[in-house]
Each structure stands twice: as structure tokens, then as C-alpha cells.
Amino acid sequence: MEKLTFYALSAPEKLDRIGAYLSERLSRDVARHRYGYVCIAMEALDQLLMACHCQSINLFVESFLKMVRKLLEADKPNLQILGTNSFVKFANIEEDTASYHRSYDFFVSRFSEMCHSNYEDPDIRTKIRMAGIKGLQGVVRKTINDELQANIWDPQHMDKIVPSLLFNLQSGEGTESRSPSPLQASEKERESPAELTERCFRELLGRAAYGNIKNAVTPVLMHLDNHSLWEGKTFAVRCFKIIMYSIQSQHSHLVIQQLLGHVDANSKSSATVRAGIVEVLLEAAGIAASGSVGPTVLEVFNTLLRHLRLSVDYELTGSYNCTNIGTKIIKEHEERQLQEAVIRTIGSFANTLPTYQRSEVMLFIMGKIPIPGMHPMLPSTGSGTDLILIDRHDNLPKFSSISIISDISVLKLKVDKCSRQDNLFMKKHAQHLYRHVYLCSKEQSSVQPHFEKLYSLLALISMELANEEVVVDLIRVALALQDLALSSEETLPVYSRCAVHALSSAYLNLISQLTTVPAFCQHVHEVIEMRQKESPYLLPEDVFIENPKIPKTLEKLEGELLFQQAKITEVLGGSGYNTERLATPYVPQFTDEDRLSKRKSIGETISLQVEVESRNSPEKEEVNENMKIYNPYNQGRRKLNCRSRQNPTVPPPLHIHN
């Protein structure tokens, strides 16, 4: 072998004849089952290949690959493994000259077949599969950086490579992927097909450039579809954990966009399938770096909210038409699980956004969710999503349950001065928030978690977005909730009335201590004390428990059991608050924008053209061309061709002058 190597290095022009001779000998020995000589010839080819990197090596490589192919086509596992090992050695060589005509299509197909081996002997089957994985890894390494080779990222190759890897990865589904890389695995673990596959899959994804991410991820989605692997979620989540940890961080949003597109493609699939895809989205968002959703932030929320509404529609109708199987009956609990998954995912995405984007996203979400009362299934989702968006100082866990806290200093709340941007946001959109709180409280179907979310929302607004004007309005809303629970015109059940009273008392207890006005705190404390003695069912400690202690009927409440608007106005007015505004009872304000029943896209949200011809007004032809409305999405002003209704109970839109 030393003499042969010296001869080949001295006369490199002879390499092609040496390769042809060894190839001929090896072919003959394979046909005659002289496997010892086959191994000798293959070893000679390997050593010559490793030693010679001259320009004449291309022809020698052709002979070498011809013999590797011969071994891989053999029906003997040992020959297949021998050929694979030689190919892997060749794949690790950096050739001095490029090849313009070499093809690796056969090797992709053959190694993929070996990855799916069903050989009877389990030990041999494992060896063949591992050889196939190593072979695919070798093909990727050999072709990935060679622009003259066939593009390994083409779908025709990825559709074979990726499913083969996932097939072997699934065999080790019981072993949880530990985090970015399995380097800490023991030697024995690294030799399993699943561990070897994971390393190969990570290497493949780590080499993917911007334009190749889609071709690498699409076969993953198809594999999970074809083998019904979304429903279990465990394997699907594991796959996308590997993907998100392995690709370059700046490409994360491409994976998220593909998952969003896949949710759309499965809009008629079962709720468990849709929920599985959404759960994967949730995991992907948690792994992705801040802001990784890229430039299409609102598109992400738009897609998720659309599927939330779609799921609610399915649940309400009980069925939907499916092209292939006709009418599909809905399982209500599965749709509910999907809705919860969508809401959690929206929150996870929102958590990755920088602070300056959160208020805009919050407004967008509120615009997409119907006004409570118009849609019976959605009142709690808006407030639940807003809480991820508002909480900037991790105060939310301290308001997870509703209770009367005598001294809020024990909560160790973090409060910063309200920023200019937040002041502007609240000035323009605070009424939208207050209206959601008020109308959600009116929902007869509301249960304890709904009220807890509303309490958290009010508390966070007080902590994060409150200036003096906002504080006044929040107190007005809390008093309006008390009036709501007292109103004989509302058909609220006893539990809801008690719950609204309890919500109002807990929040007034909090806001009074935040304002640090002693007389205000004293009044609130006196009412709470009186309720503890005579009507504990008006406080959260008796209402928001597993078995609420509420009466069968609610007697008329008056006097010292109620928070007095006049008293609060008087004490706060003495501390410089706006007494005129405090003395005015809160009434939900509706705008023309709220009356729009359909919003199909963000484009419609940006440029709303309100039709005035349908209104029964004798002045409908008089259009004020100078009325303008501020639009937060394009940071500009657009004309809104409308005329407000002359309705004393519904205030017209605010005029914002140039």
C-alpha cells in the first residue's frame, strides 16, 4: 500500500487507471462473494483517496463512487455498511478542484432507504439505519458548500432526507431533547439512531441559509401531517424545539410564518390537530429571541385571532362542512382546548415584543375581538391577552386572585411614572379598555376566572398606565360596576351580582391605597368593614372560592354597605382631583368603529370607510369632509366620511383637529 501510494503521488496522471483497475477487481470479487478481497480493495481506494488531492483526482473519484454504489446495491448488510463508511470518509475530504458533472442523487435515495431498514435482526437493522443516517450526513457535508453540485436543498432531496431523519428520531421519542445540543449524552446514547439522527438534523438545519429554511421545514410539516403526529404533540414539539435551537436566530420568524400558514391550511382539520400546531407555535415563540416574529407582527396576531374566532364559530354551530368527508361534527371540549391554546400562544408572542409595540398590539387585539354581548363566547379572551401586553414590571402574579388586602405594601409592587407614550395611548384608547371591563362584567355566563382576569386588568392599568385622569376614570368605572350590580333593569343572576360587588370592592380597596389619600382609604375601609359584618357575600373572600357563600336572593342594598360616589368625590376633590369628572357617573362610550360587524384584514382595520347612506337621517347627504380620525397603525390621519348619529345615549366620535 505504501508503494502504491508513493507511485500514485509521483505519477498522478495514473490515478484514473489505478482506480479503474481496483474497481474492476472489486466488482469481480463482489460477484464471486470473495468479501475479504472486497475489503482489501476498498481499503486501498480509501487510502489513495485520503492521500491524493491533485487535479487528476476527479476521474479516480468516479471509480471510487462507482464501487461505493456497487456495495450499497448489494443485499449484504456488511457490504452496505462498508460502502457507507467509505463514502463518509470521502465526504470529509476537501477536494482541490470542483466537479461539474458528479451526481449524488443515487446516494440520497439509497441512504434514505437504509434509514427505513426493516431487517429482521434488530442489531443489524440498527446498524443499517445508522449507516443510512451517517450517509445522509456525508451527502449534506459534501454538497452543502459546493455551488457546482446539485442543490441539496431542492425539494426532491429534502423530501427524502428530512422524513428519513424524522423516522429515526421518532424511534427515540421517549428521550426528551435536552436543549440546544446533546453534547452531554453518554457514549452509549450517542450511538443510538435517535441521538445520531438528532445531531445530523441539527447540523443540516444549522447550515440552512435564509432561502433554504422553507424547503427544510416543509417536509417536517408534511411528515407530521401524514403520520398524524400533531395530536400527540410531544414529538411535534420535540421536532420544532430542535429546529428553533439549530437554525440561525435571525431566521426564526420564517419558521413561525410557516407554522402560521400550516394552521391556515388545516382550518378544516380536527380541533386536536389545530391545537397541536398551535401548541408547537407556543413552544417556538418561547424559544425565539425577542422580536423574532419579524416585520409581520400584526399578521401573527391576525392569524391567531382569526382561528380563535373560527373555533368559536365551529363550537356554536356544532359542525362544519369538510370537502373530503362532508359534514364534520364538533366536539365542544376539543374546541375549548384549542381556544385556550390559541390564547396562550398569543400571550407568548406578545411577550417577545418590545414595550413600544405592546400598546399597538393590544389595541389591534381589542379591535379584532367582538364587543361582549355581541358574541357570547369571547368576553374573557380580550382581557386575558391584554394582561401579557400591559405587565412590564412582573406585577401580574401579585393580582392573580381577588382579595381584600389591608396593606398593599406587602405585595412589594413595582411602579414607574407613566411614560409619555402610555399617556398618549390612554388618552386615545382608554375608553375602549373601560368599556371591555364594564361589558364583560355584564355577561351572565362569566365565572370566577373571568372576574379574576378583569381584576388583574384593572390593577395593571392602575400600576402601568395611570395618570391622574386615568385614576379618576378607573374609580368611576368601579362605581359604575357597583351600580350595575344594583340595577333592577339588568337580569344578572345572584352570583354575578355578588361577584361584581366583590370585584368593585377589591379594586376600590387597591386604588384607594395607590392614591394615598387618607380620607378615601378610610371610606373604603369603613364600607368593607360593614360588609364583613352584615353582608360578607359582597366581598371576594366569600364569592371567589370553590363553594361560594351567597344567598338565594339579593335584598336591596343601601347606606353604609355601598361606596358613595358623592363621598369619594368630596375627599378626592380636596386632594386636587377633578371633582366634576368624579361626580359624573361612568357610561360606556361606543364609536362608529365599534359598530362594524366584520373586519377581514388589517387593511380594513387601517382604512375604515363607514357607509352613511344606510342611516335613517334626513341629513344623510350632508357629509363633513373635514372630520378626521387618528389611526395608530399608519401613524397618520385619514378622512372618515361619516356623520355621527344624533343619539343622546351614544356619544359621537371624538373630533381630532389638525
Side-chain angles (χ1 to χ4, degrees):
M1 194 65 231
E2 290 178 2
K3 291 181 179 180
L4 179 59
T5 303
F6 178 77
Y7 177 71
L9 290 172
S10 303
E13 69 278 3
K14 301 293 186 181
L15 259 177
D16 58 329
R17 294 182 60 190
I18 296 172
Y21 172 75
L22 287 172
S23 176
E24 181 184 347
R25 286 289 304 268
L26 193 144
S27 297
R28 186 167 64 240
D29 292 335
V30 169
R32 295 178 180 179
H33 307 290
R34 300 169 67 179
Y35 300 126
Y37 287 106
V38 171
C39 293
I40 292 173
M42 209 65 218
E43 178 66 22
L45 285 167
D46 289 347
Q47 291 197 29
L48 286 173
L49 196 63
M50 301 294 286
C52 304
H53 290 180
C54 59
Q55 293 184 354
S56 305
I57 199 174
N58 272 334
L59 293 176
F60 177 76
V61 169
E62 294 303 318
S63 299
F64 170 81
L65 292 177
K66 179 181 178 182
M67 285 322 306
V68 171
R69 179 169 182 161
K70 189 79 174 178
L71 295 177
L72 293 175
E73 288 175 336
D75 58 357
K76 298 291 183 181
N78 288 341
L79 294 184
Q80 296 173 14
I81 294 170
L82 177 65
T84 301
N85 291 338
S86 292
F87 182 85
V88 171
K89 293 176 185 176
F90 160 70
N92 291 325
I93 296 174
E94 293 186 12
E95 299 179 57
D96 293 339
T97 56
S99 172
Y100 294 87
H101 59 281
R102 198 179 297 159
S103 172
Y104 295 96
D105 291 5
F106 165 79
F107 296 100
V108 171
S109 299
R110 184 59 184 141
F111 289 137
S112 297
E113 289 177 21
M114 292 169 66
C115 288
H116 291 85
S117 173
N118 287 320
Y119 200 84
E120 294 179 0
D121 187 312
D123 291 335
I124 296 177
R125 179 170 66 240
T126 297
K127 290 179 180 178
I128 294 174
R129 289 184 179 181
M130 291 183 68
I133 297 166
K134 291 177 181 177
L136 290 177
Q137 189 177 35
V139 173
V140 171
R141 288 177 177 175
K142 195 64 182 173
T143 60
I144 204 82
N145 295 320
D146 191 346
E147 295 179 358
L148 298 175
Q149 298 295 342
N151 190 352
I152 199 66
W153 299 106
D154 285 346
Q156 61 176 332
H157 299 309
M158 285 291 107
D159 289 347
K160 296 175 183 176
I161 293 173
V162 173
S164 301
L165 296 177
L166 295 180
F167 174 77
N168 284 277
L169 189 64
Q170 193 177 352
S171 66
E173 190 176 351
T175 59
E176 180 67 21
S177 179
R178 283 168 294 283
S179 73
S181 70
L183 297 177
Q184 301 85 1
S186 66
E187 190 66 31
K188 185 176 182 180
E189 284 182 316
R190 287 205 297 269
E191 286 305 309
S192 71
E195 291 292 332
L196 179 62
T197 298
E198 185 169 339
R199 292 204 305 277
C200 181
F201 194 30
R202 288 181 185 277
E203 182 178 341
L204 174 69
L205 294 165
R207 294 172 179 266
Y210 180 89
N212 301 325
I213 295 291
K214 182 177 180 180
N215 287 352
V217 175
T218 298
V220 178
L221 300 174
M222 295 301 103
H223 182 84
L224 296 174
D225 283 347
N226 296 336
H227 297 277
S228 303
L229 294 172
W230 292 111
E231 285 138 319
K233 290 185 287 192
T234 305
F235 181 68
V237 167
R238 185 184 181 199
C239 287
F240 277 88
K241 276 186 176 181
I242 293 173
I243 292 172
M244 297 303 292
Y245 279 129
S246 301
I247 62 174
Q248 299 175 48
S249 60
Q250 66 268 29
H251 299 158
S252 296
H253 69 279
L254 297 176
V255 178
I256 290 172
Q257 284 177 344
Q258 279 192 265
L259 284 168
L260 288 170
H262 207 61
V263 175
D264 285 337
N266 283 273
S267 61
K268 294 293 183 72
S269 299
S270 67
T272 52
V273 170
R274 285 177 279 141
I277 303 173
V278 171
E279 289 284 356
V280 170
L281 261 172
L282 176 62
E283 293 290 338
I287 295 170
S290 177
S292 66
V293 290
T296 55
V297 175
L298 293 182
E299 179 188 346
V300 171
F301 294 100
N302 196 29
T303 300
L304 291 171
L305 290 169
R306 182 171 65 251
H307 283 278
L308 178 61
R309 182 180 293 223
L310 187 65
S311 174
V312 172
D313 289 340
Y314 287 166
E315 183 182 348
L316 291 174
T317 57
S319 63
Y320 62 88
N321 293 325
C322 193
T323 306
N324 298 328
I325 60 175
T327 302
K328 186 174 180 64
I329 304 301
I330 295 301
K331 294 181 180 178
E332 184 175 332
H333 70 281
E334 292 181 353
E335 292 294 341
R336 288 290 180 92
Q337 291 172 356
L338 168 63
Q339 292 159 25
E340 292 173 4
V342 170
I343 292 170
R344 288 197 305 272
T345 305
I346 289 173
S348 183
F349 272 115
N351 202 36
T352 68
L353 297 177
T355 301
Y356 72 89
Q357 284 185 323
R358 294 188 181 187
S359 58
E360 298 297 337
V361 171
M362 178 172 64
L363 183 64
F364 176 74
I365 291 174
M366 289 166 58
K368 285 291 180 179
I369 294 178
I371 298 171
M374 293 174 60
H375 208 304
M377 304 302 293
L378 285 179
S380 66
T381 57
S383 56
T385 305
D386 297 338
L387 302 181
I388 303 302
L389 293 168
I390 299 177
D391 187 26
R392 286 89 176 264
H393 298 90
D394 297 323
N395 288 316
L396 180 58
K398 300 163 187 175
F399 303 120
S400 59
S401 60
I402 309 179
S403 61
I404 302 294
I405 303 170
S406 58
D407 183 3
I408 63 170
S409 63
V410 299
L411 297 178
K412 297 181 180 179
L413 299 171
K414 300 175 183 176
V415 186
D416 282 341
K417 185 178 179 181
C418 189
S419 67
R420 179 176 177 274
Q421 292 86 347
D422 287 339
N423 281 331
L424 290 172
F425 175 82
M426 290 302 288
K427 189 172 183 179
K428 294 179 176 68
H429 309 300
Q431 295 303 324
H432 203 160
L433 277 170
Y434 306 149
R435 184 169 65 254
H436 268 261
V437 172
Y438 185 84
L439 296 181
C440 284
S441 300
K442 290 179 64 173
E443 287 296 311
Q444 297 190 17
S445 60
S446 291
V447 290
Q448 179 176 340
H450 294 189
F451 291 106
E452 288 175 345
K453 287 290 190 298
L454 291 174
Y455 176 71
S456 299
L457 178 58
L458 287 169
L460 288 176
I461 293 174
S462 308
M463 302 295 298
E464 301 284 354
L465 303 173
N467 52 34
E468 183 177 311
E469 183 179 337
V470 170
V471 169
V472 169
D473 281 342
L474 288 170
I475 294 171
R476 292 172 62 223
V477 170
L479 292 171
L481 292 179
Q482 176 178 261
D483 293 340
L484 170 66
L486 293 170
S487 174
S488 59
E489 297 178 3
E490 299 291 341
T491 57
L492 291 176
V494 174
Y495 173 81
S496 295
R497 291 183 185 275
C498 292
V500 173
H501 274 299
L503 170 64
S504 177
S505 60
Y507 178 67
L508 284 171
N509 173 69
L510 174 68
I511 194 69
S512 65
Q513 295 185 58
L514 288 174
T515 58
T516 65
V517 177
F520 183 22
C521 294
Q522 183 180 351
H523 172 66
V524 172
H525 181 67
E526 289 172 353
V527 174
I528 290 173
E529 271 194 339
M530 186 60 65
R531 289 186 176 187
Q532 288 171 339
K533 293 177 182 178
E534 298 186 11
S535 307
Y537 49 83
L538 302 179
L539 297 174
E541 284 74 15
D542 274 28
V543 178
F544 301 121
I545 55 178
E546 187 173 351
N547 297 309
K549 300 175 183 178
I550 59 175
K552 292 183 179 179
T553 59
L554 199 60
E555 298 178 0
K556 185 177 180 180
L557 303 174
E558 56 187 14
E560 296 178 341
L561 290 175
L562 299 178
F563 301 99
Q564 302 297 326
Q565 184 154 0
K567 178 69 174 177
I568 294 173
T569 301
E570 178 186 347
V571 298
L572 288 178
S575 297
Y577 286 86
N578 187 331
T579 55
E580 182 179 352
R581 193 171 181 85
L582 275 167
T584 306
Y586 169 78
V587 177
Q589 296 182 16
F590 292 86
T591 64
D592 286 328
E593 185 178 346
D594 298 320
R595 298 186 186 98
L596 296 177
S597 59
K598 293 183 180 180
R599 296 177 181 177
K600 297 182 180 178
S601 68
I602 183 59
E604 293 178 354
T605 307
I606 293 174
S607 55
L608 299 172
Q609 297 296 323
V610 181
E611 297 294 331
V612 297
E613 287 77 11
S614 61
R615 298 181 177 176
N616 298 321
S617 170
E619 301 173 348
K620 63 184 180 181
E621 294 182 0
E622 299 178 16
V623 179
N624 186 350
E625 295 290 346
N626 296 321
M627 187 179 293
K628 298 177 184 291
I629 187 168
Y630 180 81
N631 192 310
Y633 298 110
N634 61 5
Q635 299 298 313
R637 292 183 169 111
R638 293 174 178 269
K639 291 183 179 178
L640 184 64
N641 298 324
C642 64
R643 186 176 184 85
S644 61
R645 293 183 179 180
Q646 303 301 319
N647 188 336
T649 62
V650 183
L654 294 175
H655 289 250
I656 300 179
H657 300 286
N658 288 335

